Amino acid sequence: MERGNISVSTENIFPIIKKSLYSDQEIFLRELVSNAVDATQKLNVLATRGDFTGELGDLTIRVSIDKEKGTLTVSDSGLGMTDEEVKKYLNVLAFSGAEEFLKKYQDAQGADIIGKFGLGFYSAFMVAHEVEVVTRSWQEGAQAVRWTCDGTTSYTLEPAEREHRGTDVILHVSPDEVEYLEAARIRHILERYCRFLPVEISFEDEVINNPHPIWKKAPTELEDKDYLDLFHELYPADEDPLFWIHLNVDFPFNLTGILFFPKIRQDIDPRRNTIQLYSRQVFITDEVSQVVPDYLMLLKGVIDSPDIPLNVSRSYLQGDANVKKISGYITRKVADRLHEIFKEDRARFEEKWRDISVFVKYGMLADEKFAEKAEKFCLVEDIATRFYTLEEYRDKIKSTQTDKTDNLVHLYTSDRDAQDVFIRAAQSKGYDVLLMNGVLDSHWIGQVERKATQTRWVRVDADTPDKLIPKDEPEDTGLILTEEQETRIKELFRKVVTDQNLTIQTARLGAEQLPVTLTRPEFMRRMRDMSATGGYGLDSIPDMINVVVNTRHPLVQRMAEGDQHEDTARQLVDLALLAQQMLTGKALTEFIHRSVSMIGEN
């Protein structure tokens, strides 16, 4: 038996590894199984090259628990090690000091750092008070050896018995870490970190992983069912996705993966951490904000790249030029795929538009390059449920909705029921109205206006129909009140309107229009809308509402000619408030009683 000390200048590096290097204790099992996978794949490489000519046999990696002995074991039939290799790989932590090592390598970039100095193996001491390694090399005539260490710098190395090549890593689990002797706990860790490792992993006589995930295959080999099966394997409680994108690039970096477009609620409350990052099929993290732009976090799926730089423990992403390139590639691929779907099957795209519009508009607001591409497939919908690209819609309305200063005016409603009276008024003048009721629409409209020249977007309740799109048209002089009559009407309505947020205006609308309507100035109303979804701090600013009295309505004409009609004026204002769902409480009760009295008088 050989006894010795692990070559490290500090007395004990293991507490430092345990406290500083790994962000999550359960990662130890990922590291041990990954090492077993590496040993197995290296044997496959030797066999492919002809260096190993024996039988490969069953290469399944087996994870097992022995509660009585208090052990957790990871066994492989891979490369194995000779006693000299054990000394080289397990006994030499040749640092000038543990603190210096952490400073030097904690933020190191490059996949070749991973596994350097056998650090993945030493994560076992986070949960074990003693670790045994029984290993036998693939080389002919090799003697099996047993290496044992109790978590200090001391170890023993002695001959052992192992019938076949490979390695058993046996963890004697610490008394305060007995959760890792529970089958459910181990299964959870294996399913989280090892679900797609490229070698079969067996636990409790069941293979728990899929060694050949579809993102490693060519899209031509796959059918829709393959993608749906993967989606439901990853997200078993979710509905079918709307679309998916298969990522596959080998220059200037390697990356594969599949991104799914899930159904997104209009209140844009996405569940974060739903894209999983892998490196060579080893699960790394679902915190992918450095690799995936924020607006793409609405997607779900898998990204697998050996070129994403990780720190030495594989626990954190490191920012560098590659990360930016990968992020840019994913953005372009998503935009290009959406454009392809739009061109290939527009009817299908329109059918899904309400589900993906939040995502597309979020992307356009967040990323200028995405916005440029998205203009080709971003749709607007009118109240007749017809869909147009922005360019198509401009062509549709330019002959009827260009104002006297050559601005193209897009009329829209944010609530077709509450604003129905205004929609009808706009339609009566031959105007088209868009439906813009999404949570991001106020912000998106602002962006579109800034980028387009001579373009305005106006909500249908922003003004009276004749002023929504000002035209150079001769004024109809019929039924015009005298200046004295108009003054009398304004004074009458000021008496009954006590709310300081309501401003009295008169307008010469058509006799078929309502006698009183409420309008909200577009600018302030839009600012309040945007404040509600992203904060301009305008919540304390009172709403600005105009009470517009139609001086051409027969009822108002009669009021202008005779005695004061305060009850009638109050009733007309309350009806306008009621139409906007603004009449509540005591005012609503008084309105009801007044209505009953007026009916009784008639």
Side-chain angles (χ1 to χ4, degrees), residues 269-282:
D269 181 25
R271 284 171 287 167
R272 295 287 173 158
N273 304 333
T274 54
I275 297 177
Q276 300 177 7
L277 177 66
Y278 290 76
S279 180
R280 297 182 176 90
Q281 296 173 236
V282 179

Side-chain angles (χ1 to χ4, degrees), residues 360-544:
V360 173
K361 290 173 182 176
Y362 188 9
M364 294 178 74
L365 289 167
D367 188 312
E368 186 64 31
K369 291 183 178 178
F370 182 87
E372 290 174 7
K373 289 179 174 287
E375 284 185 5
K376 299 174 183 177
F377 56 78
C378 182
L379 300 179
V380 290
E381 177 187 0
D382 69 15
I383 57 172
T385 319
R386 294 172 299 212
F387 293 91
Y388 308 87
T389 64
L390 287 170
E391 185 176 355
E392 289 169 347
Y393 194 71
R394 292 186 193 109
D395 290 339
K396 171 184 170 59
I397 65 172
K398 64 183 178 182
S399 62
T400 55
Q401 294 181 211
T402 300
D403 68 16
K404 62 184 180 181
T405 58
D406 289 330
N407 282 307
L408 189 62
V409 182
H410 297 64
L411 298 179
Y412 68 96
T413 175
S414 59
D415 187 331
R416 64 188 307 164
D417 291 330
Q419 296 156 15
D420 180 71
V421 64
F422 299 98
I423 294 171
R424 291 173 182 269
Q427 289 177 320
S428 71
K429 296 185 72 67
Y431 299 152
D432 194 71
V433 180
L434 293 173
L435 179 62
M436 304 295 294
N437 59 353
V439 67
L440 294 178
D441 281 347
S442 290
H443 299 272
W444 183 82
I445 287 170
Q447 183 192 63
V448 172
E449 277 186 327
R450 287 191 297 273
K451 294 177 68 175
T453 58
Q454 289 192 293
T455 298
R456 293 193 302 125
W457 288 66
V458 180
R459 205 169 80 176
V460 288
D461 61 345
D463 214 326
T464 55
D466 59 323
K467 293 181 181 178
L468 287 173
I469 308 177
K471 303 276 190 177
D472 280 325
E473 296 176 349
E475 184 180 11
D476 180 4
T477 58
L479 299 176
I480 295 178
L481 296 183
T482 65
E483 184 176 340
E484 181 183 353
Q485 288 175 319
E486 193 159 323
T487 299
R488 186 183 303 138
I489 287 295
K490 286 182 179 180
E491 291 176 351
L492 173 60
F493 277 89
R494 284 196 186 101
K495 287 182 180 179
V496 301
V497 173
T498 57
D499 189 335
Q500 297 301 311
N501 295 325
L502 302 180
T503 302
I504 305 300
Q505 296 181 354
T506 57
R508 298 167 182 174
L509 306 179
E512 75 284 355
Q513 301 293 333
L514 292 175
V516 176
T517 55
L518 304 183
T519 64
R520 288 174 166 83
E522 176 70 14
F523 175 75
M524 287 304 300
R525 194 252 336 126
R526 192 185 300 183
M527 292 294 286
R528 290 178 60 83
D529 286 351
M530 288 192 291
S531 176
T533 59
Y536 284 86
L538 299 178
D539 293 339
S540 61
I541 296 179
D543 202 358
M544 295 178 64

Side-chain angles (χ1 to χ4, degrees), residues 42-56:
K42 287 175 182 176
L43 183 67
N44 275 320
V45 171
L46 292 177
T48 301
R49 287 168 33 184
D51 296 335
F52 174 73
T53 57
E55 292 291 330
L56 288 173

Side-chain angles (χ1 to χ4, degrees), residues 50-111:
D51 296 335
F52 174 73
T53 57
E55 292 291 330
L56 288 173
D58 182 6
L59 297 178
T60 301
I61 295 165
R62 303 184 189 281
V63 180
S64 59
I65 295 169
D66 188 325
K67 277 193 171 184
E68 291 187 7
K69 293 182 179 179
T71 59
L72 170 63
T73 302
V74 178
S75 298
D76 68 68
S77 301
L79 211 59
M81 291 180 285
T82 63
D83 59 346
E84 291 301 317
E85 288 171 330
V86 168
K87 293 176 186 178
K88 178 180 179 180
Y89 294 120
L90 299 188
N91 292 348
V92 179
L93 289 168
F95 323 121
S96 58
E99 296 291 348
E100 180 183 338
F101 163 76
L102 290 174
K103 182 178 179 181
K104 183 175 182 180
Y105 288 110
Q106 185 69 33
D107 296 325
Q109 299 175 0

